[in-house]
Amino acid sequence: MKRATVFIIFITLALSGSAFAQGKPDFSGTWTLDMAKSDMGQGRPSAGTRKVILVIKQTPAVLTIERKVSERSETATQKLDGSESINKSPSGQDIKSTSRWVGATLITKSIMTTGNGTAEMSDARSLSADGKVMTLDVTRKTDRGDVKQKLIYNKE
């Protein structure tokens, strides 16, 4: 009886762990921005004909995103446990971020101080049911106003 109880507890924990893991999508892969389906926000110029590519690597603890635009490339790493991550902006300022899961959506909140003031950013990253489309809902709050974007990326 004791063995059966231990076995049932073990199976329950194992199944609940895999169900929990299934709720957190894996964003790993190469993603191309779909400008036709994206909303860059009011008054924001589009990327034009420049191709924007994200190469994402994800482990249970870290999300690493390499963003390529034309010949330029930048990489950011986000801890997925809610602790602070610090990355550099293209102009060299520190961007402090925290990421947390809300269901199957990864929410990243960031703050950056520049000579023009403080910018706050919030990104909500999610996947389509088939895993082929990633949506990034972006909110940027700056001293010059707020910008909301809906960026649609297709998996290559």
Side-chain angles (χ1 to χ4, degrees), residues 66-77:
E66 179 184 9
R67 184 175 184 263
K68 300 176 185 179
V69 181
S70 300
E71 299 298 316
R72 199 173 87 195
S73 176
E74 52 196 44
T75 301
T77 301

Side-chain angles (χ1 to χ4, degrees), residues 115-126:
N116 296 327
T118 300
E120 294 181 31
M121 300 153 276
S122 178
D123 301 338
R125 184 179 310 271
S126 59

